[in-house]
Amino acid sequence: MKEKVYIRFMTDIDIYIKLTTLPDEMKKEVDDFVDFLKLKSISKGKVKKQRKSGLAKGLIQMKEGFDEPLEDFKDYM
């Protein structure tokens, strides 16, 4: 017969209780580590690549008369 294994995640209260038992200098380390984790999670999804201009040069062409009014809109002009 297999035993069931339950995974229990810490709640905010559990973390708070552990934090309150630490000495003040260790609380500062925890605070710094939390800031590090927040920054890490923010920067993980926002990696900016350097943009290069001119990559689409010559791929788009404007047709003659592009700026001319359309026949369909003559009634509104």
Side-chain angles (χ1 to χ4, degrees), residues 1-50:
M1 182 174 195
K2 288 186 177 180
E3 289 184 35
K4 290 185 179 181
V5 177
Y6 293 100
I7 298 174
R8 182 176 178 269
F9 295 101
M10 294 184 74
T11 65
D12 292 346
I13 301 296
D14 295 330
I15 295 170
Y16 178 76
I17 290 169
K18 283 187 174 189
L19 182 63
T20 58
T21 63
L22 292 175
D24 288 342
E25 51 283 346
M26 291 183 89
K27 287 179 185 177
K28 175 64 178 138
E29 287 185 45
V30 172
D31 182 49
D32 292 341
F33 185 66
V34 169
D35 290 342
F36 165 76
L37 290 175
K38 287 171 65 176
L39 183 63
K40 182 179 168 183
S41 69
I42 290 170
S43 64
K44 195 180 255 187
K46 295 184 179 181
V47 176
K48 292 187 177 183
K49 294 181 181 178
Q50 188 66 26

Side-chain angles (χ1 to χ4, degrees), residues 57-72:
K57 188 174 184 178
L59 296 177
I60 301 171
Q61 296 178 358
M62 304 300 277
K63 292 194 175 203
E64 292 291 326
F66 174 78
D67 291 328
E68 301 298 321
L70 298 173
E71 291 288 326
D72 295 339

